[in-house]
PDB file of all heavy atoms in Angstrom:
ATOM      1  N   LYS A 259     -11.467-140.090 -53.119  1.00  0.00           N
ATOM      2  CA  LYS A 259     -10.275-139.310 -53.465  1.00  0.00           C
ATOM      3  C   LYS A 259     -10.373-137.885 -52.920  1.00  0.00           C
ATOM      4  O   LYS A 259      -9.447-137.085 -53.058  1.00  0.00           O
ATOM      5  CB  LYS A 259     -10.105-139.255 -54.992  1.00  0.00           C
ATOM      6  CG  LYS A 259      -9.737-140.614 -55.566  1.00  0.00           C
ATOM      7  CD  LYS A 259      -9.465-140.525 -57.042  1.00  0.00           C
ATOM      8  CE  LYS A 259      -9.303-141.934 -57.613  1.00  0.00           C
ATOM      9  NZ  LYS A 259      -9.730-142.001 -59.001  1.00  0.00           N
ATOM     10  N   SER A 260     -11.533-137.566 -52.346  1.00  0.00           N
ATOM     11  CA  SER A 260     -11.683-136.248 -51.717  1.00  0.00           C
ATOM     12  C   SER A 260     -11.199-136.379 -50.274  1.00  0.00           C
ATOM     13  O   SER A 260     -11.652-137.263 -49.553  1.00  0.00           O
ATOM     14  CB  SER A 260     -13.146-135.827 -51.740  1.00  0.00           C
ATOM     15  OG  SER A 260     -13.389-134.862 -50.764  1.00  0.00           O
ATOM     16  N   PRO A 261     -10.291-135.520 -49.867  1.00  0.00           N
ATOM     17  CA  PRO A 261      -9.732-135.640 -48.513  1.00  0.00           C
ATOM     18  C   PRO A 261     -10.804-135.565 -47.423  1.00  0.00           C
ATOM     19  O   PRO A 261     -10.610-136.089 -46.336  1.00  0.00           O
ATOM     20  CB  PRO A 261      -8.764-134.462 -48.422  1.00  0.00           C
ATOM     21  CG  PRO A 261      -9.060-133.574 -49.573  1.00  0.00           C
ATOM     22  CD  PRO A 261      -9.722-134.393 -50.616  1.00  0.00           C
ATOM     23  N   MET A 262     -11.935-134.967 -47.736  1.00  0.00           N
ATOM     24  CA  MET A 262     -13.049-134.916 -46.789  1.00  0.00           C
ATOM     25  C   MET A 262     -13.490-136.327 -46.418  1.00  0.00           C
ATOM     26  O   MET A 262     -13.826-136.629 -45.296  1.00  0.00           O
ATOM     27  CB  MET A 262     -14.251-134.225 -47.439  1.00  0.00           C
ATOM     28  CG  MET A 262     -14.200-132.742 -47.385  1.00  0.00           C
ATOM     29  SD  MET A 262     -14.416-132.215 -45.705  1.00  0.00           S
ATOM     30  CE  MET A 262     -16.111-132.727 -45.442  1.00  0.00           C
ATOM     31  N   PHE A 263     -13.545-137.196 -47.455  1.00  0.00           N
ATOM     32  CA  PHE A 263     -14.036-138.545 -47.241  1.00  0.00           C
ATOM     33  C   PHE A 263     -12.915-139.495 -46.878  1.00  0.00           C
ATOM     34  O   PHE A 263     -13.098-140.429 -46.135  1.00  0.00           O
ATOM     35  CB  PHE A 263     -14.801-139.044 -48.469  1.00  0.00           C
ATOM     36  CG  PHE A 263     -16.157-138.437 -48.575  1.00  0.00           C
ATOM     37  CD1 PHE A 263     -16.356-137.268 -49.289  1.00  0.00           C
ATOM     38  CD2 PHE A 263     -17.242-139.020 -47.909  1.00  0.00           C
ATOM     39  CE1 PHE A 263     -17.611-136.682 -49.360  1.00  0.00           C
ATOM     40  CE2 PHE A 263     -18.491-138.435 -47.983  1.00  0.00           C
ATOM     41  CZ  PHE A 263     -18.684-137.275 -48.702  1.00  0.00           C
ATOM     42  N   SER A 264     -11.745-139.254 -47.434  1.00  0.00           N
ATOM     43  CA  SER A 264     -10.640-140.154 -47.140  1.00  0.00           C
ATOM     44  C   SER A 264     -10.128-139.953 -45.723  1.00  0.00           C
ATOM     45  O   SER A 264      -9.335-140.717 -45.233  1.00  0.00           O
ATOM     46  CB  SER A 264      -9.503-139.925 -48.139  1.00  0.00           C
ATOM     47  OG  SER A 264      -8.989-138.625 -47.982  1.00  0.00           O
ATOM     48  N   GLY A 265     -10.614-138.903 -45.054  1.00  0.00           N
ATOM     49  CA  GLY A 265     -10.236-138.692 -43.666  1.00  0.00           C
ATOM     50  C   GLY A 265      -8.972-137.854 -43.518  1.00  0.00           C
ATOM     51  O   GLY A 265      -8.466-137.677 -42.417  1.00  0.00           O
ATOM     52  N   ASP A 266      -8.490-137.312 -44.632  1.00  0.00           N
ATOM     53  CA  ASP A 266      -7.283-136.491 -44.584  1.00  0.00           C
ATOM     54  C   ASP A 266      -7.506-135.159 -43.888  1.00  0.00           C
ATOM     55  O   ASP A 266      -6.591-134.577 -43.318  1.00  0.00           O
ATOM     56  CB  ASP A 266      -6.810-136.187 -46.015  1.00  0.00           C
ATOM     57  CG  ASP A 266      -5.617-137.040 -46.367  1.00  0.00           C
ATOM     58  OD1 ASP A 266      -5.390-138.031 -45.636  1.00  0.00           O
ATOM     59  OD2 ASP A 266      -4.939-136.724 -47.351  1.00  0.00           O
ATOM     60  N   ILE A 267      -8.749-134.654 -43.986  1.00  0.00           N
ATOM     61  CA  ILE A 267      -9.043-133.373 -43.343  1.00  0.00           C
ATOM     62  C   ILE A 267      -9.722-133.646 -42.011  1.00  0.00           C
ATOM     63  O   ILE A 267     -10.748-134.318 -41.943  1.00  0.00           O
ATOM     64  CB  ILE A 267      -9.957-132.484 -44.211  1.00  0.00           C
ATOM     65  CG1 ILE A 267      -9.223-132.117 -45.504  1.00  0.00           C
ATOM     66  CG2 ILE A 267     -10.365-131.237 -43.464  1.00  0.00           C
ATOM     67  CD1 ILE A 267      -9.963-131.120 -46.339  1.00  0.00           C
ATOM     68  N   GLY A 268      -9.127-133.114 -40.945  1.00  0.00           N
ATOM     69  CA  GLY A 268      -9.713-133.325 -39.635  1.00  0.00           C
ATOM     70  C   GLY A 268     -10.732-132.265 -39.283  1.00  0.00           C
ATOM     71  O   GLY A 268     -11.664-132.499 -38.529  1.00  0.00           O
ATOM     72  N   GLY A 269     -10.566-131.072 -39.852  1.00  0.00           N
ATOM     73  CA  GLY A 269     -11.417-129.949 -39.476  1.00  0.00           C
ATOM     74  C   GLY A 269     -12.864-130.167 -39.893  1.00  0.00           C
ATOM     75  O   GLY A 269     -13.152-130.914 -40.812  1.00  0.00           O
ATOM     76  N   VAL A 270     -13.770-129.510 -39.179  1.00  0.00           N
ATOM     77  CA  VAL A 270     -15.193-129.642 -39.477  1.00  0.00           C
ATOM     78  C   VAL A 270     -15.602-128.570 -40.469  1.00  0.00           C
ATOM     79  O   VAL A 270     -15.252-127.417 -40.309  1.00  0.00           O
ATOM     80  CB  VAL A 270     -16.024-129.489 -38.199  1.00  0.00           C
ATOM     81  CG1 VAL A 270     -17.491-129.711 -38.494  1.00  0.00           C
ATOM     82  CG2 VAL A 270     -15.537-130.440 -37.133  1.00  0.00           C
ATOM     83  N   GLY A 271     -16.323-128.976 -41.507  1.00  0.00           N
ATOM     84  CA  GLY A 271     -16.771-128.014 -42.507  1.00  0.00           C
ATOM     85  C   GLY A 271     -18.197-127.586 -42.281  1.00  0.00           C
ATOM     86  O   GLY A 271     -18.901-128.195 -41.488  1.00  0.00           O
ATOM     87  N   PRO A 272     -18.613-126.509 -42.940  1.00  0.00           N
ATOM     88  CA  PRO A 272     -19.967-125.991 -42.726  1.00  0.00           C
ATOM     89  C   PRO A 272     -21.023-126.865 -43.394  1.00  0.00           C
ATOM     90  O   PRO A 272     -20.802-127.367 -44.485  1.00  0.00           O
ATOM     91  CB  PRO A 272     -19.933-124.609 -43.371  1.00  0.00           C
ATOM     92  CG  PRO A 272     -18.821-124.659 -44.355  1.00  0.00           C
ATOM     93  CD  PRO A 272     -17.859-125.705 -43.905  1.00  0.00           C
ATOM     94  N   ARG A 273     -22.185-126.992 -42.731  1.00  0.00           N
ATOM     95  CA  ARG A 273     -23.269-127.781 -43.291  1.00  0.00           C
ATOM     96  C   ARG A 273     -23.928-127.052 -44.450  1.00  0.00           C
ATOM     97  O   ARG A 273     -24.499-127.646 -45.326  1.00  0.00           O
ATOM     98  CB  ARG A 273     -24.360-127.999 -42.235  1.00  0.00           C
ATOM     99  CG  ARG A 273     -24.070-129.045 -41.235  1.00  0.00           C
ATOM    100  CD  ARG A 273     -25.204-129.099 -40.235  1.00  0.00           C
ATOM    101  NE  ARG A 273     -25.335-127.847 -39.502  1.00  0.00           N
ATOM    102  CZ  ARG A 273     -26.183-127.662 -38.506  1.00  0.00           C
ATOM    103  NH1 ARG A 273     -26.995-128.603 -38.134  1.00  0.00           N
ATOM    104  NH2 ARG A 273     -26.221-126.511 -37.878  1.00  0.00           N
TER     105      ARG A 273
END
Side-chain angles (χ1 to χ4, degrees):
Chain A
K259 291 184 188 150
S260 159
M262 277 290 293
F263 284 91
S264 64
D266 256 16
I267 296 188
V270 184
R273 282 177 298 185

